Amino acid sequence: VSPFFKAVVMFSCMPEVNDRRVCSASNYKPIQCHFIFTSLTLMGLSYFQLHSNMDKGDGTVKYVLTGDGAGTLFLIDEKSGDIHATKRLDREEKAMYTLHAKVLDRSTNAELEPDTEFNIKIHDINDNEPKFAREIYFASVPEMSEVGTSVVTVTATDADDQTYGNSAKLVYSILQGQPYFSVDSENGTIKTALPGMDREVKENYQVVIQAKDMAGQMGGLSGTTTVSITLSDVNDSPPRFANHSFRVTAVESTEIGGAIGHIKADDPDVGRNAEMEYSIVGGHDTFNIITDQTTQEGVIVIKKALDYESKRDYEFRVEVKNTYLDARFIHGLQFKDYATVRVTVEDVDEPPVFTRNPYIIEVHEDTAAGSFVGVVSARDPDADNKPVKYSIDRHTDLERLFNIDSVNGTITTLKALDREMSKWHNISVVATEINNPRQTTRVPVFIKVLDVNDNAPEFAMSYDTFVCENVKAGQLIQTISAVDTDEPLVGHKFVFSISPTNPNFTIVDREDNTANIVTRRGGFSRREMNMYFLPVVISDNDYPIQSSTSTLIVRVCACDSRGNMQSCNPEVLPFSDGLTTGALVAILLCVIILLMIVVLFAALRRQRKKEPLIISKEDVRDNVVSYNDEGGGEEDTQAFDIGTLRNPEVMDANKLRRDIIPEMLFPFRRTSPIKDNTDVRDFINGRLQENDSDPTAPPYDSLATYAYEGSGSLAESLSSLESAATEGDQDYDYLSNWGPQFKKLAEMYIGRSVDREA
């Protein structure tokens, strides 16, 4: 068979079992063979044969088959050229196979003929039933839909050849679901078949659809599926009350906004079609009804406090309606309903009720203790009208400033009030039923303390004021202002004034609660006066007028030509012929006073009676050392005898002091003996008191030693006898910081120090 010329030989007949087909050609003309097998051909039973003109039948020719399925699905007999199928052929797996045949010399494997191509086409038979994509379909359609409303389309597929015969031509039918639904036989569309299907009557339907091939003829194959159809809800049912009369009981103590009862209407619809809204027909001033969106109930709440003593029964009408309406069903139906609600109020034991809440009371700050502040009043709202007592919650009045009459609720002060300490006092008053102490009510009482002009104005700050020595008259040296803790209604208005006879300064009121201090003269001198005390009187304008005097300290300072302060410390200058008359008079007065003191001191010394001091070691008193000689302490064995401390009677009665010669003698006063067990400290204290009160003792300094310290004491001498020797070592500059009281003393000592250094 030559490949240069191709012809087609078609075997269109259906081969039977053991049927044999031969593809051959003569005169070496190329041909292409097409063999048609059915998909039901059994393995090894149907075959066809290839034959070449070169085959003489002597077995020298060998046939070889290549291509789709060669050696596995199709086997060829090398000697005869018979081709067999090894298994059943399925068109749905492969509809055509392309093979190549060769003719070889058996001994040399040389090609006797070129390759020849031929096709094996599998003819279709109805061996596949229709199949749906899913076993169960889910669909929905609104209830009350018209007949013929499309629900869903279900489609089956058939694997057989669509172009050959009726093997894949399907017809749909309904096996279950009549008479409610129908199906289009050609495309599988399910439609409603009955009018007025009501979801409230039946909601779910199971429909079985069949698809059959061979155009539905006898012997065709079929497949089925189930369609679950649900009727979706539409608002075709209005809400209705099962009972058109409701009775509710409420206690009078129910708070505003509290619920006292629930009512509910029924609506067979679902979802938003069943949503309802409740309202009171015409409204009501005491009750209101709200809709619970979760339970679709009407909740009756209190809009105004109930009072059993005032009204005990209420009645009103409630309306319920759907919030969403379907225009298709509103005609001829009333989508609302009504019910009557009766409310009965029950009595409870209520706590006392104040006439006001809160109370705001005003009282002046100058009100004395025990004064009237205000009155609170409460009553028992129950029909019994039980008596009430009043009290103050002391946790709100820790300072115990107020008191209340437990019977009539009169509030009085326990202490005087001060607005500057606290402008408001917030206390709580408790009203309690006497017969039932558990029934209490508290009310806040805000007490405002009104201002009274009881505080005088004063300087707003501490001023550091100075005036230059070279200042001229009329020069501004300080602007002052004032503050007042009072709060007058029309605001503060301060008036400033100083003594009009003050030769140094004057004051100018600026009419804005400030004033200027102005010099009245020029030429201030630190040597004459380095500090001035200027009393300023500040008055307010409220009633009664309060005023105070504040002292402004003005220092005299040295300044440069621009008025900038350089130094305010007083300068100590040597005396000169240029001293003023006032300075000379002051010095003269000081000298006269010092002379008088010296003369008086000398006269007193002449008249003072002196008693001999200790003149021996047996004297019971401490040794007195002269001004120019200190005792030897523990090392001085002749100056002290401890035995005299224990037994003063051993002293000679006429022994005199040996440190100084008295001008006149006085009789010796024997001291009473002491017991042996007396403490030395008590003894010394007693002797010290006797000597301090002795009028004959001279006013001399003395050094007393009691054998406790000697010459080696770290404390050194306590005597002031040698203090004058170290006077020059003192630094008296600190005296200028002690204030005006020590001014003169500072000038004297600081001046003396300057002279000594010079």
Side-chain angles (χ1 to χ4, degrees):
V1 180
S2 176
F4 297 102
F5 175 78
K6 292 185 179 180
V8 179
V9 179
M10 295 291 297
F11 296 93
S12 59
C13 61
M14 294 290 292
E16 300 296 336
V17 177
N18 297 324
D19 190 8
R20 183 176 179 225
R21 294 289 178 262
V22 179
C23 181
S24 62
S26 61
N27 300 325
Y28 300 98
K29 294 180 180 179
I31 64 171
Q32 184 175 8
C33 298
H34 290 264
F35 298 92
I36 301 176
F37 287 82
T38 66
S39 60
L40 295 179
T41 300
L42 298 177
M43 179 180 63
L45 297 181
S46 180
Y47 64 93
F48 56 92
Q49 183 183 35
L50 294 178
H51 184 72
S52 173
N53 292 335
M54 300 296 294
D55 187 3
K56 303 301 182 180
D58 55 0
T60 60
V61 176
K62 180 173 68 173
Y63 294 95
V64 178
L65 184 66
T66 62
D68 294 340
T72 56
L73 183 61
F74 299 102
L75 298 178
I76 189 171
D77 191 328
E78 294 179 352
K79 295 180 180 181
S80 62
D82 293 337
I83 298 175
H84 298 270
T86 61
K87 65 178 182 179
R88 176 179 296 180
L89 303 178
D90 190 354
R91 188 200 66 84
E92 284 70 39
E93 292 183 2
K94 192 172 180 64
M96 181 179 291
Y97 297 88
T98 300
L99 299 174
H100 294 270
K102 293 181 180 181
V103 180
L104 304 176
D105 185 281
R106 183 175 297 274
S107 59
T108 64
N109 284 332
E111 292 187 3
L112 301 178
E113 297 284 351
D115 286 349
T116 300
E117 179 184 281
F118 61 93
N119 296 326
I120 300 177
K121 182 178 180 182
I122 309 302
H123 182 70
D124 183 47
I125 63 173
N126 189 19
D127 60 340
N128 292 281
E129 71 276 5
K131 292 183 178 180
F132 289 92
R134 287 180 288 179
E135 294 183 0
I136 299 178
Y137 289 85
F138 295 93
S140 64
V141 63
E143 62 174 332
M144 313 300 288
S145 296
E146 297 180 356
V147 175
T149 301
S150 177
V151 179
V152 67
T153 298
V154 292
T155 304
T157 59
D158 196 325
D160 294 325
D161 192 356
Q162 301 285 340
T163 62
Y164 181 77
N166 294 327
S167 297
K169 186 176 182 179
L170 305 181
V171 174
Y172 298 93
S173 61
I174 184 168
L175 301 182
Q176 178 182 331
Q178 295 175 330
Y180 306 103
F181 300 96
S182 63
V183 65
D184 190 307
S185 61
E186 294 183 359
N187 56 27
T189 300
I190 301 174
K191 301 178 181 180
T192 58
L194 282 180
M197 286 191 294
D198 193 353
R199 185 198 66 83
E200 288 74 32
V201 177
K202 185 175 182 180
E203 183 176 5
N204 297 311
Y205 296 87
Q206 298 293 328
V207 178
V208 178
I209 302 297
Q210 182 190 64
K212 190 174 183 180
D213 58 12
M214 299 299 292
Q217 299 176 5
M218 294 293 294
L221 302 178
S222 64
T224 61
T225 187
T226 301
V227 182
S228 178
I229 301 176
T230 301
L231 296 183
S232 59
D233 185 60
V234 296
N235 193 12
D236 60 338
S237 300
R240 291 289 182 263
F241 284 110
N243 185 3
H244 288 79
S245 179
F246 295 89
R247 181 172 294 276
V248 179
T249 301
V251 295
E252 63 173 334
S253 60
T254 304
E255 297 180 355
I256 295 178
I260 62 172
H262 299 72
I263 62 175
K264 190 176 188 310
D266 297 325
D267 190 334
D269 295 323
V270 294
R272 71 171 186 171
N273 296 320
E275 292 179 359
M276 295 174 283
E277 182 180 8
Y278 297 85
S279 61
I280 297 178
V281 178
H284 203 279
D285 58 350
T286 305
F287 302 97
N288 191 19
I289 187 168
I290 59 177
T291 303
D292 188 332
Q293 298 297 333
T294 303
T295 62
Q296 293 298 312
E297 292 180 323
V299 183
I300 303 174
V301 297
I302 300 296
K303 190 167 68 174
K304 181 180 177 182
L306 303 177
D307 188 3
Y308 174 82
E309 289 71 26
S310 300
K311 189 172 183 179
R312 305 180 182 181
D313 295 294
Y314 296 88
E315 181 176 324
F316 50 87
R317 197 177 184 202
V318 175
E319 177 189 81
V320 61
K321 61 181 179 180
N322 284 129
T323 57
Y324 169 77
L325 298 178
D326 193 331
R328 296 175 299 172
F329 305 103
I330 59 176
H331 302 289
L333 289 177
Q334 188 74 13
F335 279 81
K336 60 178 63 177
D337 200 8
Y338 300 91
T340 301
V341 178
R342 294 179 176 84
V343 180
T344 302
V345 181
E346 293 183 348
D347 186 29
V348 295
D349 189 4
E350 299 174 90
V353 177
F354 283 93
T355 56
R356 283 188 294 167
N357 189 0
Y359 285 86
I360 300 178
I361 302 175
E362 296 181 347
V363 60
H364 287 87
E365 64 174 323
D366 61 349
T367 302
S371 300
F372 173 81
V373 176
V375 178
V376 297
S377 178
R379 65 175 185 84
D380 182 10
D382 297 322
D384 298 340
N385 194 16
K386 299 175 183 177
V388 176
K389 66 177 181 179
Y390 303 92
S391 62
I392 294 178
D393 184 355
R394 289 304 174 186
H395 291 89
T396 62
D397 185 24
L398 297 177
E399 299 179 0
R400 301 186 70 86
L401 299 176
F402 303 96
N403 190 27
I404 189 170
D405 190 298
S406 62
V407 177
N408 56 30
T410 300
I411 301 175
T412 56
T413 58
L414 288 175
K415 299 178 183 179
L417 304 179
D418 187 359
R419 190 200 66 86
E420 285 68 39
M421 296 295 295
S422 181
K423 299 179 182 179
W424 286 89
H425 296 279
N426 305 330
I427 63 174
S428 293
V429 175
V430 181
T432 306
E433 288 186 10
I434 296 179
N435 297 337
N436 187 4
R438 292 178 298 177
Q439 294 295 338
T440 62
T441 303
R442 60 179 59 235
V443 66
V445 179
F446 304 114
I447 301 175
K448 182 179 181 181
V449 182
L450 300 179
D451 184 44
V452 174
N453 192 27
D454 57 348
N455 292 281
E458 56 186 11
F459 278 158
M461 58 184 295
S462 177
Y463 296 100
D464 184 13
T465 307
F466 70 92
V467 61
C468 296
E469 288 182 313
N470 57 355
V471 73
K472 296 180 181 180
Q475 182 69 41
L476 172 65
I477 63 171
Q478 183 68 60
T479 299
I480 59 175
S481 61
V483 294
D484 193 341
T485 54
D486 294 321
E487 291 184 359
L489 297 177
V490 295
H492 290 294
K493 175 60 180 174
F494 300 128
V495 178
F496 302 86
S497 64
I498 62 174
S499 174
T501 61
N502 191 309
N504 302 311
F505 306 99
T506 184
I507 191 168
V508 179
D509 197 332
R510 300 176 59 181
E511 302 296 332
D512 61 352
N513 291 336
T514 62
N516 293 335
I517 304 297
V518 182
T519 58
R520 180 168 284 182
R521 65 179 179 86
F524 289 84
S525 175
R526 286 179 292 167
R527 290 179 298 174
E528 295 180 3
M529 183 75 70
N530 67 344
M531 191 176 298
Y532 292 89
F533 298 93
L534 183 61
V536 180
V537 179
I538 309 174
S539 304
D540 56 22
N541 64 333
D542 205 356
Y543 180 83
I545 295 177
Q546 299 287 341
S547 64
S548 66
T549 301
S550 300
T551 301
L552 182 68
I553 300 176
V554 183
R555 296 181 296 157
V556 180
C557 301
C559 304
D560 58 15
S561 58
R562 297 182 180 179
N564 297 323
M565 180 181 66
Q566 292 181 336
S567 175
C568 292
N569 293 327
E571 297 181 359
V572 179
L573 301 175
F575 291 103
S576 65
D577 296 338
L579 292 175
T580 61
T581 304
L584 294 175
V585 172
I587 295 174
L588 182 59
L589 287 177
C590 292
V591 172
I592 294 174
I593 293 173
L594 289 175
L595 291 175
M596 292 178 62
I597 293 175
V598 172
V599 172
L600 181 60
F601 182 77
L604 290 176
R605 288 195 60 179
R606 294 193 196 95
Q607 297 178 2
R608 181 178 297 275
K609 296 180 181 180
K610 297 182 179 180
E611 181 180 357
L613 300 177
I614 300 175
I615 60 177
S616 67
K617 64 181 180 180
E618 290 81 13
D619 198 336
V620 297
R621 292 176 293 180
D622 302 338
N623 293 336
V624 179
V625 183
S626 63
Y627 290 101
N628 298 326
D629 185 17
E630 291 189 6
E634 296 175 0
E635 299 174 359
D636 189 358
T637 57
Q638 296 180 355
F640 177 74
D641 185 4
I642 193 63
T644 60
L645 295 176
R646 295 300 180 184
N647 189 12
E649 295 181 355
V650 301
M651 297 172 49
D652 295 335
N654 295 325
K655 284 187 178 181
L656 301 178
R657 291 181 59 168
R658 62 186 179 181
D659 53 350
I660 132 181
I661 301 175
E663 297 179 357
M664 55 186 304
L665 298 178
F666 290 89
F668 178 77
R669 294 184 296 106
R670 181 176 298 276
T671 306
S672 59
I674 61 174
K675 298 180 181 180
D676 291 339
N677 59 354
T678 303
D679 186 51
V680 175
R681 181 180 299 174
D682 296 338
F683 170 76
I684 293 174
N685 291 334
R687 293 297 179 266
L688 180 61
Q689 292 179 2
E690 291 180 3
N691 283 275
D692 289 343
S693 60
D694 187 0
T696 63
Y700 306 126
D701 292 345
S702 62
L703 179 64
T705 60
Y706 292 98
Y708 295 117
E709 288 289 345
S711 60
S713 172
L714 296 176
E716 299 181 352
S717 175
L718 301 179
S719 174
S720 62
L721 297 177
E722 296 297 327
S723 62
T726 61
E727 182 179 356
D729 299 334
Q730 298 292 328
D731 184 7
Y732 298 100
D733 289 339
Y734 60 86
L735 295 175
S736 11
N737 299 325
W738 286 11
Q741 297 86 345
F742 297 91
K743 173 187 173 186
K744 195 64 179 179
L745 184 62
E747 292 177 354
M748 293 174 61
Y749 278 87
I750 295 175
R752 186 182 304 173
S753 300
V754 175
D755 295 341
R756 185 178 291 107
E757 291 176 0

